[in-house]
């Protein structure tokens, strides 16, 4: 009987620990936990223009999305924003060149950056963005597509591997918005 009670207690405590550590069973990896937290608490994601890998993929996919949503009725309701966390290198001219490289339509795709190092630190701290300098003068950072609604609320995050889901989501939101405006 004591063994049964001890086992039962261990199972209950273990289940509680699992429940708490996985955000009530909703996030089993650190990235899922980050996306969940951002969905529930608005945040912003950042890029840097000299990034040799993931930022190029993200921006290339934004180029495709911009093309896919280029009809007047859709492009007027959708904006893309790339925010740099490397203001020392990413001058306004460099950001403009970066977007130009991806054939950005500047009416719908913009870039921004903090204007000084203290503002950068405040932004990173406020948004709890983790940016780790690497040995090559660049950074290691998380990557994803953050969806902000017209009220300025972050409503969804899609990973770099979720471009099809992102495309579907944007189509659904824009169709819902179109149906509401017709009503």
């Amino acid at each position: 009987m004591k063994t049964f009670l001890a086992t039962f207690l261990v199972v209950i405590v273990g289940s509680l620990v699992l429940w708490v550590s996985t955000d009530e069973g909703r996030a089993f990896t650190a990235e899922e936990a980050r996306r969940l937290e951002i969905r529930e608490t608005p945040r912003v994601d950042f890029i840097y223009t000299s990034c040799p890998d993931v930022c190029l993929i993200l921006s290339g996919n934004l180029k495709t999305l911009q093309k896919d949503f280029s009809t007047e009725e859709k492009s007027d309701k959708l904006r893309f924003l790339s925010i740099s966390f490397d203001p020392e290198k990413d001058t306004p001219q460099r950001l403009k060149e970066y977007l130009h490289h991806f054939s950005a339509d500047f009416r719908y795709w913009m870039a921004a950056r903090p204007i000084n190092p203290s503002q950068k630190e405040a932004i990173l701290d406020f948004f709890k963005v983790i940016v780790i300098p690497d040995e090559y003068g660049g950074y290691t950072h998380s990557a994803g597509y953050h969806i902000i609604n017209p009220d300025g609320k972050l409503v969804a995050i899609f990973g770099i591997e979720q471009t099809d889901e992102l495309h579907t989501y944007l189509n659904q939101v824009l169709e819902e918005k179109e149906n509401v405006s017709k009503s």
Side-chain angles (χ1 to χ4, degrees), residues 23 26-27 30-43 126-128 154 157:
D23 288 309
R26 299 178 295 163
E31 184 61 18
E32 287 175 343
R34 183 183 76 85
R35 291 178 188 169
L36 178 65
E37 180 185 357
I38 290 172
R39 268 196 312 270
E40 295 175 353
T41 308
R43 300 278 165 86
F126 179 78
F127 290 107
K128 299 190 183 340
L154 183 63
I157 298 174

Side-chain angles (χ1 to χ4, degrees), residues 4-108:
F4 173 77
L5 287 175
T7 303
F8 181 73
L9 184 61
V10 167
V11 168
I12 294 298
V13 170
S15 296
L16 286 172
V17 168
L18 179 64
W19 184 255
V20 170
S21 67
T22 61
D23 288 309
E24 300 172 351
R26 299 178 295 163
F28 292 93
T29 67
E31 184 61 18
E32 287 175 343
R34 183 183 76 85
R35 291 178 188 169
L36 178 65
E37 180 185 357
I38 290 172
R39 268 196 312 270
E40 295 175 353
T41 308
R43 300 278 165 86
V44 174
D45 206 18
F46 295 85
I47 57 101
Y48 69 107
T49 62
S50 57
C51 179
D53 48 45
V54 72
C55 295
L56 296 174
I57 296 168
L58 288 167
S59 297
N61 288 338
L62 284 182
K63 176 182 177 178
T64 301
L65 285 171
Q66 179 182 249
K67 182 180 176 192
D68 291 348
F69 290 94
S70 64
T71 64
E72 187 174 321
E73 63 200 32
K74 290 186 178 182
S75 62
D76 282 342
K77 295 177 180 83
L78 185 62
R79 299 292 185 270
F80 299 111
L81 177 63
S82 298
I83 302 175
S84 171
F85 55 76
D86 189 7
E88 296 82 17
K89 293 179 186 168
D90 291 342
T91 63
Q93 182 61 33
R94 177 69 184 123
L95 289 171
K96 184 177 178 179
E97 291 167 3
Y98 181 81
L99 291 183
H100 182 71
H101 174 77
F102 291 100
S103 304
D105 182 334
F106 293 107
R107 295 172 297 172
Y108 308 113

Side-chain angles (χ1 to χ4, degrees), residues 123-163:
I123 290 169
L124 292 176
D125 183 54
F126 179 78
F127 290 107
K128 299 190 183 340
V129 173
I130 297 172
V131 176
I132 303 168
D134 64 22
E135 68 258 23
Y136 308 108
Y139 304 92
T140 298
H141 60 95
S142 59
Y145 303 98
H146 294 66
I147 309 302
I148 300 171
N149 71 12
D151 298 326
K153 301 282 185 191
L154 183 63
V155 294
I157 298 174
F158 292 87
I160 195 168
E161 73 287 354
Q162 296 179 297
T163 53

